[in-house]
Amino acid sequence: MSEKTKRFRFPQNQHMDDHFNWWNFMPMGLMHVALIGIWWTGFTWTAVAMCVFLYVARVFGITAGYHRYFSHRGYKTSRTFQFVLAFLGATALQKGPLWWAAKHREHHRDTDEPEDAHSPRHYGFLDAHVGWVYREARSSPDMDLVKDFSKYPEIRWIERHQYLPGLSVAVLCFLIGGWSGLLVGWLLSTILVYHATFTINSLDHMFGRQRYLTGDDSRNNWLMAILSMGEGWHNNHHYYPATARNGFFWWEFDPTYYMLLGLEKIGLVWNLRQPPKSILANEKPPTQKIIDKCATYIADGFSADRITANLRARWEGSHIMEDLRGHARTKWSAAEAYLAEIELPDLPSADELKARAQKQFKIQHEGLDRAIERAHDMLRRSVSHRLIEQAREERQQHA
Ligand SMILES: [Zn+2]
Ligand SMILES: [Zn+2]
């Protein structure tokens, strides 16, 4: 585990530690082990049909319910059907809709920053996939983010009894299909739904293409779109989250959206929000926030301390160090102006910055060129700051 993981603290839960809680992980671990039981029960046609049906129904419960409705309000529905969506989502045993939506809203707020509980960039594949759920600090959301839904008593009821829907389905499967019904129909489908969901947080921030410059690592990936019924168009989604669809074009397979269209036809849901034309055309210039986010990532790959040390070694005994100490003694701005005029050859070259940018951001975009320039400025500034500070200290020591 990295130092960063051990020290992890969310601002709102300073007192919690972030160690992996093996005890809480037991049910998840045992469910995986219990799959071995299929060796004895075998596959019956009934059990396989139950598995397929429960996979599709519950992935839909998560994607259409927990994700596009409770987290992003991508469409509207009645209070009754809202309850149905919450119940269906809860049958997947991924905790309650309020917890899920609050964590997910945090993910969109802090995507691939250290505060993002499941960023593979910061915590690696396994922790982004499932480990974060069993780390207390990272799995505790700010519940103020979901006040729009926590005001409904029936939603709070599901949240309190979050295991009830999933376990009822298990009992039902056993009654219909016996042990094979339980292990293949219920258990196998539950685990497949888990990994379909988890993959979006882990692999879909690692592998695939980017259409939009988002400053994070979200990717569009057709294979994950098939497995997760449309969620694999994750770069689209991070660029414009508040929609009923994640596949923005007809060729981007998004069965969750097609099913929502069906529900709209029979009047159960309405006001399905669409991405605007300007988004589809990808014409909107990136915001300063996105440029800064990219630039910070690029600059973080180079140590300002090391560059400073290299420059000082290079200039040792030369007039530059003497001049700098002289300026630093009188005025900070004079020293800054002096450094702005001279070359700092130990700063990374444009090519080095570009290489780091392209390794992480899978996109050709003019915004990325701006981010590279900005990263260069950021590094130049922080190196200058260090040089002046050190020159000042030395001046004082000599005085
Ligand atoms: Zn994401
Ligand atoms: Zn989302």
Side-chain angles (χ1 to χ4, degrees):
M1 194 195 310
S2 70
E3 267 308 302
K4 197 187 256 163
T5 313
K6 275 189 222 154
R7 284 189 278 104
F8 186 91
R9 295 288 183 277
F10 266 137
Q12 71 266 18
N13 40 38
Q14 300 278 350
H15 58 287
M16 295 178 186
D17 82 46
D18 205 44
H19 284 99
F20 189 84
N21 188 325
W22 284 97
W23 189 250
N24 289 351
F25 177 73
M26 284 282 257
M28 173 65 82
L30 287 176
M31 280 169 83
H32 281 75
V33 173
L35 284 177
I36 301 170
I38 297 176
W39 179 266
W40 288 279
T41 66
F43 293 87
T44 65
W45 281 112
T46 320
V48 171
M50 277 158 56
C51 181
V52 172
F53 172 77
L54 284 175
Y55 181 82
V56 173
R58 293 189 292 170
V59 168
F60 183 77
I62 293 294
T63 60
Y66 275 20
H67 188 214
R68 299 186 199 185
Y69 183 73
F70 285 102
S71 305
H72 295 298
R73 309 180 69 111
Y75 57 93
K76 290 208 166 78
T77 187
S78 65
R79 192 156 162 184
T80 312
F81 198 68
Q82 172 181 290
F83 179 79
V84 173
L85 286 169
F87 191 94
L88 188 63
T91 60
L93 289 169
Q94 296 184 13
K95 302 201 187 186
L98 297 176
W99 175 86
W100 207 104
K103 275 319 305 178
H104 193 71
R105 286 177 182 184
E106 284 178 352
H107 170 60
H108 279 270
R109 186 190 60 196
D110 308 317
T111 317
D112 290 315
E113 308 273 5
E115 292 79 13
D116 180 2
H118 44 70
S119 168
R121 187 196 282 187
H122 295 283
Y123 303 109
F125 165 77
L126 266 185
D127 237 49
H129 194 69
V130 64
W132 68 275
V133 180
Y134 304 99
R135 299 185 186 276
E136 195 183 9
R138 253 191 286 162
S139 64
S140 309
D142 176 1
M143 295 307 275
D144 282 350
L145 293 174
V146 285
K147 280 184 180 151
D148 48 340
F149 288 112
S150 59
K151 67 183 181 201
Y152 296 106
E154 70 276 18
I155 301 297
R156 292 201 305 275
W157 184 86
I158 295 228
E159 193 76 19
R160 271 198 308 281
H161 302 92
Q162 50 185 259
Y163 298 115
L164 190 76
L167 296 179
S168 314
V169 174
V171 172
L172 216 60
C173 286
F174 183 68
L175 293 177
I176 298 172
W179 285 107
S180 176
L182 184 69
L183 290 186
V184 176
W186 178 77
L187 183 65
L188 180 59
S189 67
T190 304
I191 286 181
L192 292 174
V193 177
Y194 276 147
H195 291 290
T197 311
F198 298 164
T199 320
I200 304 303
N201 294 336
S202 56
L203 297 177
D204 230 358
H205 277 253
M206 298 166 85
F207 302 106
R209 291 156 171 266
Q210 294 192 310
R211 171 181 290 135
Y212 298 106
L213 188 67
T214 49
D216 57 46
D217 303 333
S218 60
R219 305 277 199 260
N220 283 344
N221 184 306
W222 62 269
L223 182 61
M224 280 170 234
I226 294 173
L227 297 175
S228 63
M229 291 170 51
E231 300 290 73
W233 308 111
H234 201 53
N235 177 248
N236 289 355
H237 175 62
H238 269 280
Y239 194 62
Y240 198 80
T243 57
R245 62 192 301 180
N246 285 1
F248 284 178
F249 299 94
W250 65 264
W251 62 86
E252 292 180 340
F253 185 63
D254 185 356
T256 297
Y257 176 60
Y258 312 145
M259 287 161 85
L260 283 171
L261 285 176
L263 293 176
E264 187 187 37
K265 280 242 158 21
I266 55 174
L268 281 174
V269 302
W270 53 90
N271 285 5
L272 269 59
R273 294 176 65 178
Q274 303 288 332
K277 283 205 177 74
S278 63
I279 297 292
L280 296 180
N282 201 356
E283 279 166 349
K284 234 177 77 180
T287 59
Q288 193 57 46
K289 193 179 161 202
I290 291 177
I291 301 284
D292 287 348
K293 202 168 165 171
C294 294
T296 307
Y297 173 80
I298 299 166
D300 273 352
F302 304 87
S303 160
D305 283 329
R306 215 194 53 235
I307 298 168
T308 309
N310 289 349
L311 282 168
R312 285 172 55 92
R314 180 190 291 277
W315 292 336
E316 196 51 58
S318 78
H319 72 95
I320 297 181
M321 276 322 286
E322 238 355 274
D323 292 351
L324 186 61
R325 286 193 196 102
H327 289 299
R329 187 168 58 97
T330 51
K331 240 175 144 192
W332 187 284
S333 58
E336 259 179 342
Y338 175 72
L339 280 177
E341 290 301 315
I342 60 175
E343 208 197 328
L344 308 182
D346 293 280
L347 282 175
S349 67
D351 283 343
E352 285 172 298
L353 292 166
K354 199 170 182 175
R356 175 159 166 96
Q358 281 175 345
K359 217 172 130 212
Q360 197 75 1
F361 306 111
K362 301 290 176 201
I363 187 170
Q364 298 288 337
H365 198 289
E366 107 4 269
L368 216 45
D369 299 332
R370 278 170 60 199
I372 289 167
E373 266 174 48
R374 175 128 180 77
H376 190 267
D377 285 350
M378 285 163 85
L379 278 168
R380 189 178 177 105
R381 241 183 325 199
S382 62
V383 167
S384 300
H385 189 98
R386 282 168 169 76
L387 285 168
I388 299 170
E389 211 162 52
Q390 290 171 14
R392 270 199 158 175
E393 274 166 25
E394 283 157 10
R395 193 79 217 182
Q396 271 159 8
Q397 278 161 14
H398 290 148

